[in-house]
Amino acid sequence: MGTMIAIDIADPLPEATLAALADDYFAWMREVDERFSTYRADSEISRMDRGELRLADGSRYLQEVHATCAQLWHDTDNFFDVYATGHLDPSGYVKGWAAEVASARLLAAGSSNHFINAGGDVRVRGGPQPGEPWHVPLRHPWEADGAFLVLAGTDLAVATSGTYERGFHVVNPRTGEPARALRSVTVVGPDLGLADAYATAAVAMGMAGLRWLADLPGYEAAVVTENGEGFCSAGLPSVPIAELAQAQPASP
């Protein structure tokens, strides 16, 4: 889907088991790419967009994603619209959904401590060491090598949508114009697919997305506007960067 994927499995398992878990993860993500990438002419999504594949003839994954995206269109007051660009593109849900499914598969296979990164969308379970949470830095909207917030948790889905990397690529489906008001929207909650879609919808809404996110049950958010204002919901599981630095072991 035109992005990078990575995984850190921290379970105390035999090396061969860890390798098999990683192989399964990458195989699943490659399968998702083959089915849903808009960059591949032979993917199910591309064929459906061209009218060459009916939904009823597609895979169960295609049907599942299509049904969820239809529900999200309703739940976001039509701002999450897979046809907003004029072509079928569920990428704003699929990337997070794929990582969420991958995490569930890892858990079922015996891995309860892992960190998945799918193009900046992150799903974590457990921790890197016993008793320690994973730390998830949120990229600074203007400084590519910096973070403006760090989240911490043992069971988190963290999705970010914004304009700082791909430009004004999110379209407001009501106007047909690129959304320009919000530079970065991060949504945190229990499901990465939904968090991904909610972040995309909020960017499409513009400033109205701040109120919508504030009323979203079960999810927290961090938003940076194009003019540099920042907003965080009260329940965001963030760690002050200064405090995090103090907690790190001293360099030898």
Side-chain angles (χ1 to χ4, degrees):
M1 291 177 283
T3 191
M4 56 76 69
I5 58 172
I7 187 170
D8 182 352
I9 305 174
D11 300 282
L13 297 170
E15 185 173 344
T17 302
L18 293 172
L21 290 171
D23 287 345
D24 181 73
Y25 165 71
F26 287 112
W28 162 248
M29 298 301 275
R30 279 191 287 268
E31 179 181 350
V32 171
D33 184 68
E34 291 169 0
R35 294 187 185 279
F36 292 99
S37 177
T38 58
Y39 296 91
R40 299 175 62 112
D42 61 345
S43 70
E44 285 189 294
I45 281 296
S46 294
R47 291 164 56 207
M48 187 174 171
D49 183 49
R50 294 193 301 267
E52 300 170 4
L53 177 68
R54 297 188 311 158
L55 178 62
D57 296 328
S59 67
R60 65 182 180 93
Y61 298 123
L62 179 66
Q63 295 174 26
E64 175 186 339
V65 165
H66 189 275
T68 303
C69 287
Q71 183 62 47
L72 283 163
W73 181 80
H74 176 271
D75 294 345
T76 61
D77 198 20
N78 309 347
F79 277 96
F80 183 82
D81 187 342
V82 295
Y83 288 99
T85 63
H87 291 278
L88 176 60
D89 184 1
S91 301
Y93 169 71
V94 163
K95 186 156 59 77
W97 165 80
E100 183 69 31
V101 171
S103 179
R105 287 165 61 124
L106 283 165
L107 185 64
S111 170
S112 56
N113 299 277
H114 54 258
F115 184 117
I116 290 174
N117 187 339
D121 290 344
V122 173
R123 185 65 167 96
V124 302
R125 294 184 192 269
Q129 299 288 340
E132 293 183 13
W134 291 104
H135 291 109
V136 183
L138 302 187
R139 176 179 157 176
H140 195 288
W142 284 277
E143 299 175 12
D145 60 347
F148 76 99
L149 275 177
V150 175
L151 307 180
T154 58
D155 188 4
L156 288 179
V158 183
T160 299
S161 181
T163 65
Y164 54 80
E165 187 168 278
R166 296 175 56 194
F168 300 109
H169 68 286
V170 176
V171 173
N172 180 332
R174 297 189 177 181
T175 65
E177 299 294 326
R180 298 177 179 273
L182 304 182
R183 189 167 180 84
S184 173
V185 174
T186 297
V187 176
V188 182
D191 185 283
L192 189 55
L194 297 183
D196 198 4
Y198 292 155
T200 302
V203 171
M205 292 176 191
M207 294 302 291
L210 293 172
R211 171 51 55 191
W212 184 80
L213 287 169
D215 295 334
L216 193 62
Y219 289 80
E220 306 294 337
V223 178
V224 179
T225 68
E226 280 292 338
N227 63 7
E229 294 181 290
F231 304 87
C232 293
S233 58
L236 193 73
S238 60
V239 179
I241 294 179
E243 176 183 315
L244 182 65
Q246 293 172 3
Q248 299 302 312
S251 300

